[in-house]
């Protein structure tokens, strides 16, 4: 699979200076953690889940979570587990060439080995498990269960802990909780693919819900905990992990209080004014702003609960030609001693040592999401990815 692989080759050639690389579920952990992109969540109760997975693959989805936790009722768990086994078996029998990385979000550790056993040969389609309400105390049993299931099944399985517990939100317990999480995920580093943020649960602790023209970064109590998570768990010194962006809850706005947040000029230049109006109508201007703020604050990828959110995440994850040019200049071997240089675009200073970690992350993102051609912006990437 690859990002934008659902787009015709001749269109990709027009869009990309360097096309996104191909990857599989067996690719190196570092590559997969950057490649998750927009991870689409789906309730495990959906009766045609196998069809949904195949359909979303054709729309550019590369990672999905099949949820047995908050998205379904307590009384539906047993039926949802049975449905998962049926749907995985169906999918395995079809043998599609490409399917997304598939994860199951469980409620309790015991579900992990139980589901792997029940899936049988179809477990080869499974990339791992999402672990809710993750803290040191609650997380260790999940990770031990994953390790045991992996040993029994003989296939690599990844963990994606969800950081969403009240202990993490509350100021008096936050640092201690983060230290415990850090110890736990570091011990299982090779199996932790990414850390996910449960912002809806954070808001719940204070009876809050952000409006469609507000981002998670506008809710200060939420922004503060995300910042602390990145501070302690997302460092670029080799100790950090990929931390993914929070979910965007909205599909369509009936009435808005504030002006749209999408400038008109990029869409006029790309002759895509209708696309701008459609994005605004479906509350995508707030989503685009939140994605941009996610990236500016060290997050990569995003939890998504609607297929229409996937393409904006991927389009804004593509590395611009200017970013790639800067990163290449900074990482040239002859620059190893440091120094300052003017960018190739002659509009900024590139300071080799301070900007090196940014450049390394940018090159990794370029590998999985590609590098846009010099005259291509996110508007063209969005427009090209929308199904005809």
């Amino acid at each position: 699979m690859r990002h934008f692989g659902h787009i015709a080759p001749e269109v990709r050639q027009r869009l990309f200076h360097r096309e996104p690389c191909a990857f599989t579920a067996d690719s190196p952990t570092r590559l997969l953690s950057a490649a998750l992109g927009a991870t689409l969540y789906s309730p495990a109760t959906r009766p045609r889940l196998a069809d949904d997975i195949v359909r979303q693959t054709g729309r550019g989805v590369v990672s999905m979570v099949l949820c047995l936790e908050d998205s379904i009722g307590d009384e539906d768990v047993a039926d949802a587990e049975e449905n998962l086994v049926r749907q995985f078996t169906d999918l395995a029998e079809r043998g599609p060439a490409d399917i997304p990385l598939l994860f199951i979000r469980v409620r309790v550790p015991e579900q992990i080995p139980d589901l792997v056993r029940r899936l049988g040969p179809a477990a080869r389609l499974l990339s791992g498990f999402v672990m809710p309400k993750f803290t040191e105390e609650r997380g260790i049993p999940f990770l031990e269960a994953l390790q045991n299931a992996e040993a029994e099944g003989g296939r690599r399985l990844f963990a994606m802990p969800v950081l969403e517990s009240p202990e993490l939100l509350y100021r008096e317990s936050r640092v201690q909780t983060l230290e415990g999480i850090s110890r736990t995920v570091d011990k299982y580093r090779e199996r932790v693919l990414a850390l996910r943020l449960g912002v809806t649960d954070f808001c719940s602790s204070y009876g809050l819900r952000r409006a469609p023209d507000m981002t998670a970064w506008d809710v200060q109590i939420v922004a503060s905990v995300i910042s602390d998570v990145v501070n302690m768990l997302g460092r670029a010194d080799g100790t950090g992990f990929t931390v993914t962006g929070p979910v965007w809850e909205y599909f369509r706005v009936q009435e808005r209080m504030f002006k749209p947040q999408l400038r008109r000029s990029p869409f006029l230049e790309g002759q895509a004014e209708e696309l701008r109006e459609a994005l605004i109508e479906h509350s995508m201007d707030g989503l685009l702003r939140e994605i941009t703020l996610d990236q500016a604050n060290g997050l990569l990828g995003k939890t998504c609960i609607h297929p229409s959110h996937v393409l904006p995440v991927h389009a804004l994850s593509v590395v611009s030609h200017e970013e790639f040019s800067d990163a290449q200049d900074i990482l040239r071997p002859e620059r190893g001693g440091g120094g300052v240089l003017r960018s190739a675009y002659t509009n900024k200073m590139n300071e080799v040592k301070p900007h090196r970690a940014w450049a390394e992350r940018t090159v990794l993102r370029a590998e999985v999401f590609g590098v846009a051609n010099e005259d291509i912006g996110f508007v063209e990437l969005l427009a090209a990815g929308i199904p005809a």
Side-chain angles (χ1 to χ4, degrees):
M1 74 191 90
R2 71 171 76 219
H3 284 290
F4 297 93
H6 64 301
I7 295 176
E10 62 273 16
V11 178
R12 291 204 305 270
Q13 188 174 15
R14 176 176 61 82
L15 293 174
F16 289 99
H17 172 70
R18 290 196 178 186
E19 289 193 25
C21 72
F23 57 91
T24 72
D26 297 317
S27 293
T29 305
R30 184 167 180 265
L31 185 76
L32 290 181
S33 68
L36 286 167
T39 300
L40 183 63
Y41 275 54
S42 177
T45 50
R46 289 182 67 87
R48 300 182 65 84
L49 192 55
D51 292 335
D52 293 342
I53 291 168
V54 172
R55 183 167 56 253
Q56 296 308 330
T57 303
R59 296 176 176 175
V61 173
V62 303
S63 63
M64 289 185 70
V65 173
L66 314 174
C67 185
L68 292 168
E69 206 223 0
D70 286 347
S71 68
I72 66 172
D74 297 344
E75 69 281 2
D76 295 325
V77 174
D79 288 343
E81 289 179 345
E82 291 181 8
N83 187 56
L84 272 184
V85 174
R86 282 196 304 272
Q87 301 294 334
F88 266 81
T89 302
D90 179 14
L91 202 57
E93 290 173 352
R94 298 187 202 187
D98 288 322
I99 61 168
L101 303 172
L102 298 178
F103 302 86
I104 298 174
R105 178 169 173 165
V106 291
R107 294 182 172 218
V108 294
E110 294 76 19
Q111 288 176 297
I112 293 175
D114 179 60
L115 284 167
V116 170
R117 283 192 293 269
R118 291 165 64 183
L119 286 170
R124 64 182 173 81
L125 303 180
L126 182 63
S127 290
F129 291 88
V130 175
M131 302 168 177
K133 314 291 190 295
F134 195 92
T135 62
E136 182 176 28
E137 180 181 1
R138 290 194 289 270
I140 289 174
F142 277 110
L143 290 166
E144 288 176 345
L146 179 82
Q147 195 171 52
N148 293 337
E150 183 182 68
E152 185 176 328
R155 176 173 174 77
R156 180 177 70 170
L157 293 170
F158 286 113
M160 289 203 291
V162 185
L163 310 186
E164 57 187 345
S165 65
E167 302 97 308
L168 184 59
L169 184 61
Y170 299 153
R171 181 181 292 275
E172 67 271 20
S173 55
R174 183 179 303 171
V175 172
Q176 182 180 355
T177 302
L178 278 169
E179 288 173 343
I181 292 170
S182 180
R183 286 190 296 268
T184 305
V185 295
D186 187 61
K187 182 180 177 181
Y188 293 87
R189 175 170 293 274
E190 288 304 309
R191 289 298 167 265
V192 176
L193 190 59
L195 304 175
R196 312 201 72 89
L197 293 164
V199 163
T200 302
D201 280 50
F202 290 156
C203 290
S204 174
S205 295
Y206 289 88
L208 304 175
R209 186 173 191 179
R210 68 188 189 276
D213 42 15
M214 294 282 180
T215 71
W217 300 98
D218 295 313
V219 183
Q220 290 301 302
I221 197 164
V222 169
S224 70
V225 69
I226 299 176
S227 297
D228 285 346
V229 168
V230 174
N231 190 323
M232 293 187 68
L233 298 170
R235 298 177 186 179
D237 59 1
T239 67
F241 296 84
T242 294
V243 183
T244 64
V247 68
W248 182 257
E249 298 178 346
Y250 294 96
F251 318 141
R252 188 182 184 96
V253 176
Q254 301 300 326
E255 181 179 356
R256 70 169 60 238
M257 182 179 298
F258 299 108
K259 289 182 178 180
Q261 301 173 71
L262 281 181
R263 290 174 53 240
R264 190 179 300 272
S265 54
F267 292 87
L268 292 175
E269 292 167 9
Q271 297 183 330
E273 178 67 8
E274 288 185 7
L275 173 59
R276 177 180 180 271
E277 295 300 324
L279 291 170
I280 292 170
E281 182 183 357
H282 290 82
S283 189
M284 294 297 183
D285 53 327
L287 170 62
L288 291 170
R289 181 168 177 263
E290 183 165 286
I291 296 166
T292 303
L293 290 170
D294 288 347
Q295 294 175 353
N297 286 280
L299 308 183
L300 180 61
K302 199 166 186 65
T303 295
C304 294
I305 43 80
H306 195 274
S308 64
H309 299 168
V310 171
L311 182 58
V313 174
H314 292 169
L316 285 174
S317 298
V318 173
V319 173
S320 71
H321 188 274
E322 180 175 346
E323 288 177 304
F324 189 64
S325 174
D326 289 339
Q328 281 190 309
D329 284 347
I330 291 164
L331 295 176
R332 293 188 192 281
E334 63 268 26
R335 304 290 185 189
V340 176
L341 59 149
R342 185 173 63 173
S343 72
Y345 276 68
T346 68
N347 60 359
K348 72 177 76 64
M349 172 193 74
N350 288 328
E351 195 167 352
V352 173
K353 288 184 177 179
H355 289 144
R356 186 173 187 85
W358 168 85
E360 290 171 346
R361 284 189 169 186
T362 299
V363 167
L364 178 60
R365 182 161 57 92
E367 186 174 358
V368 294
F369 289 102
V371 179
N373 272 321
E374 193 168 358
D375 60 341
I376 296 296
F378 80 93
V379 173
E380 289 82 4
L381 291 162
L382 276 172
I386 295 174

